Amino acid sequence: MSLAALTLSSPLTVSTTTKQKPRPPHYPRPKITCSSLTTQSAKQHLLNLISDQERGLKTQNDTNKRDSITKAIDAMAVLGRNTVTTGDSLSATWRLLWTTEKEQLFIIEKAYLFGTQAGDVLQVIDVDNKTLNNVITFPPDGVFFVRSSIEIASSQRVNFKFTSAVLRGKNWEFPLPPFGQVIHNFRS
């Protein structure tokens, strides 16, 4: 996993990309500077903090750990304050590592009610097509899929509006109405 491909958003969510656009060979490798080492150290510190938190399930009941993670996220925000994070590099499939988003945590935690457990939790973002799709998998055959439209509001802010949702099993599908709209800050 590339630590450079870490995304933070609000409500507090930490994700990593599972698919990135390759860098053309004529682009030089980035210089390693004191600042980039500080950023890498901060990212590694954050990843260490969330590594045993079961995507945020354990953090719900541990305010000290949640505060430590929040401080690490705030430190990352300061380091990336001048970075454009809503450009083409945002277009990717992102795997959820940690979140405070209650609805996602509820679905992850209660998947056993459907005789399964939550698999990958993904966010597929396409800046050019202005789409954001949230996907929670329930192996072997289930998925909760939420479609959204997005609008780039600034260099670090994306507004999105839910457009549809569906819960699918092997031989069934249950459409759900979309709920609300959210503003996310995407930070390096």
Side-chain angles (χ1 to χ4, degrees):
M1 169 180 51
S2 168
L3 293 179
L6 189 68
T7 295
L8 309 174
S9 62
S10 175
L12 296 178
T13 300
V14 179
S15 303
T16 186
T17 186
T18 59
K19 177 182 153 192
Q20 286 186 302
K21 294 180 183 178
R23 182 175 61 229
H26 62 276
Y27 281 177
R29 293 235 176 254
K31 289 182 183 178
I32 296 178
T33 63
C34 184
S35 175
S36 66
L37 292 175
T38 302
T39 301
Q40 292 290 44
S41 298
K43 287 178 185 179
Q44 189 58 55
H45 175 65
L46 176 58
L47 289 171
N48 290 342
L49 285 171
I50 66 172
S51 66
D52 64 349
Q53 294 303 297
E54 296 178 15
R55 295 186 264 204
L57 290 174
K58 288 184 175 181
T59 315
Q60 294 180 98
N61 299 318
D62 185 344
T63 55
N64 289 334
K65 185 72 165 197
R66 182 178 172 147
D67 289 346
S68 295
I69 293 168
T70 300
K71 286 178 184 170
I73 290 171
D74 290 344
M76 292 287 303
V78 169
L79 291 169
R81 69 183 165 272
N82 296 321
T83 306
V84 174
T85 58
T86 57
D88 288 338
S89 64
L90 184 59
S91 293
T93 298
W94 298 88
R95 179 175 290 117
L96 175 79
L97 300 178
W98 183 86
T99 189
T100 59
E101 211 281 317
K102 292 185 185 311
E103 288 80 7
Q104 283 187 346
L105 291 172
F106 177 83
I107 293 169
I108 293 166
E109 184 177 34
K110 303 298 182 188
Y112 71 90
L113 296 173
F114 296 98
T116 188
Q117 62 183 11
D120 280 334
V121 180
L122 305 169
Q123 194 167 69
V124 183
I125 302 172
D126 186 330
V127 173
D128 291 338
N129 289 317
K130 299 182 179 181
T131 60
L132 180 151
N133 297 310
N134 288 318
V135 181
I136 301 176
T137 63
F138 302 104
D141 300 307
V143 66
F144 179 58
F145 191 82
V146 180
R147 285 186 176 88
S148 305
S149 60
I150 64 171
E151 176 186 317
I152 304 300
S154 72
S155 63
Q156 292 190 339
R157 184 176 296 269
V158 174
N159 298 333
F160 68 90
K161 183 176 182 180
F162 300 119
T163 57
S164 67
V166 65
L167 182 59
R168 286 188 188 129
K170 185 174 184 174
N171 297 313
W172 57 272
E173 180 173 302
F174 185 71
L176 300 165
F179 296 100
Q181 60 188 44
V182 180
I183 298 171
H184 273 273
N185 292 320
F186 288 93
R187 302 177 210 143
S188 63

